Amino acid sequence: MENILEITELNKSYEGFSLKDVSFSLPKGYIMGFVGQNGSGKTTTIRSVLNMAKIDSGKISVFGMDSVTDTIAIKERLGVVFDSLYLANHLNVKQVQDQLKPFYKDWNSDEFLRRIKEFDLPEGKKIGTFSKGMKMKLMIAVALSHNAELIILDEPTSGLDPVARDELLDILAEYMEDENRGVLFSTHITADVERIADYVTILHNGRVWFTGTKDDLCESYAVIKGAKEDIPSDVREKCIGFHGYRNGFDALMKSEDLDQVPRSIEIEKASIDEILVYIAKEDKSERHSENDTV
């Protein structure tokens, strides 16, 4: 299977934060949900892919080309949608096209105008007056107008109403009808990932916690609930993010360990959102334990 994006042992350090040996790949023809709590390193990873951040070590390959030495050729074939518009607010739609067209040899003006009409974007208004949903559609129109083969979205649905989010997901589904394309979709709204993603990569504290198919992720973990006295100590040690309260407990557990769980304990399929919550609880619990031993 050919990969449209490959990241291998990526390291990047800032003061107080670092990406550590981040590795994952996106096969051509698929959508990857890129998730993790705020500060996990998603935006830093994306900036590294776009060569907007100088990496300390590792390798990033897009379309089989090096992200640093071949950055211009890559960006010709890449579309990017950020959570905020990167264009000057005083421009109208026509002026946006006039500014961007010279940068793309495959720019298609007819396609751009068709998308503008399809997305109901006013051609004469300044884009600074656009709603967030309209700005997001404009960025996608730009990406589709130069035949981008990979679209990278960094928190595009943040702050969007449900209708605008639904429209975005429909646009991405249409875009992926061409199996030579790919989408890397960074978001904290995991319901969107569960709806459209084929693959999922979870970042936690600058490291890859999971990468693989969405089905593998959901099948690999389960939520267990019950009375605290019903869970043996050796089983409890295998729990992730154990949360005890007056009337019982809940926790995340690997599916491979579920055969050790007593029948009195309830087992439920874990959603991506629940997995992220239990990862955070586990991290918080470990920090408390470290502080207790100091």
Side-chain angles (χ1 to χ4, degrees):
M1 189 180 299
E2 184 180 355
N3 292 324
I4 200 167
L5 170 66
E6 291 184 5
I7 299 176
T8 307
E9 296 183 353
L10 168 62
N11 290 276
K12 172 65 181 175
S13 294
Y14 293 105
E15 185 176 351
F17 174 78
S18 61
L19 294 176
K20 310 173 197 71
D21 297 323
V22 170
S23 299
F24 64 87
S25 58
L26 171 61
K28 184 180 290 187
Y30 295 96
I31 296 176
M32 174 175 281
F34 193 37
V35 299
Q37 58 187 307
N38 291 339
S40 61
K42 302 189 300 297
T43 296
T44 299
T45 302
I46 288 174
R47 286 174 56 83
S48 300
V49 171
L50 299 175
N51 198 30
M52 295 170 65
K54 184 178 180 181
I55 66 176
D56 298 332
S57 63
K59 181 176 177 58
I60 302 173
S61 174
V62 189
F63 313 120
M65 297 184 287
D66 185 88
S67 65
V68 177
T69 59
D70 301 314
T71 185
I72 295 175
I74 287 171
K75 288 177 180 177
E76 279 274 357
R77 301 164 62 183
L78 195 67
V80 182
V81 179
F82 292 116
D83 64 343
S84 58
L85 196 61
Y86 53 81
L87 299 164
N89 287 332
H90 68 273
L91 300 176
N92 61 32
V93 168
K94 181 181 182 304
Q95 292 168 327
V96 166
Q97 177 175 221
D98 291 342
Q99 284 207 352
L100 295 179
K101 184 177 179 179
F103 293 98
Y104 300 102
K105 66 178 185 295
D106 292 330
W107 185 273
N108 187 326
S109 295
D110 291 338
E111 176 67 10
F112 181 73
L113 293 176
R114 185 180 79 81
R115 292 291 181 176
I116 293 302
K117 289 182 171 60
E118 178 187 345
F119 297 160
D120 294 322
L121 298 177
E123 297 182 35
K125 292 183 66 174
K126 294 180 179 180
I127 61 176
T129 66
F130 283 12
S131 68
K132 184 157 187 177
M134 293 165 68
K135 291 176 180 178
M136 176 269 298
K137 288 180 181 178
L138 176 59
M139 287 188 281
I140 291 180
V142 169
L144 298 179
S145 298
H146 65 87
N147 196 30
E149 298 165 51
L150 171 64
I151 293 181
I152 296 177
L153 305 100
D154 189 11
E155 300 287 358
T157 55
S158 175
L160 292 183
D161 61 60
V163 173
R165 282 173 50 211
D166 187 68
E167 288 177 337
L168 169 61
L169 300 185
D170 285 344
I171 292 167
L172 293 179
E174 178 199 345
Y175 171 77
M176 288 305 300
E177 290 176 2
D178 184 335
E179 296 182 354
N180 290 312
R181 294 170 170 171
V183 171
L184 180 66
F185 183 39
S186 168
T187 181
H188 66 276
I189 303 176
T190 57
D192 294 342
V193 173
E194 291 183 329
R195 174 175 162 183
I196 67 166
D198 308 290
Y199 287 79
V200 177
T201 293
I202 298 175
L203 274 194
H204 182 64
N205 289 339
R207 296 183 182 274
V208 173
W209 193 87
F210 174 90
T211 188
T213 69
K214 179 179 65 180
D215 290 343
D216 281 348
L217 173 62
C218 294
E219 291 171 5
S220 296
Y221 296 91
V223 175
I224 62 172
K225 301 178 180 179
K228 283 188 285 187
E229 60 268 21
D230 287 349
I231 183 167
S233 58
D234 59 333
V235 177
R236 176 169 174 167
E237 289 175 358
K238 296 181 179 180
C239 290
I240 301 168
F242 184 93
H243 175 225
Y245 44 92
R246 187 175 65 177
N247 297 322
F249 81 95
D250 56 70
L252 186 71
M253 178 166 279
K254 291 182 178 180
S255 297
E256 63 190 42
D257 295 325
L258 291 177
D259 58 347
Q260 302 173 44
V261 175
R263 291 185 179 181
S264 59
I265 292 176
E266 183 179 353
I267 299 174
E268 299 177 353
K269 183 178 179 180
S271 67
I272 297 174
D273 204 36
E274 288 173 319
I275 291 172
L276 292 178
V277 168
Y278 285 109
I279 293 171
K281 287 181 180 178
E282 181 71 10
D283 184 52
K284 186 176 180 180
S285 175
E286 288 177 353
R287 290 201 306 270
H288 284 169
S289 295
E290 290 173 359
N291 291 337
D292 290 344
T293 58
V294 173

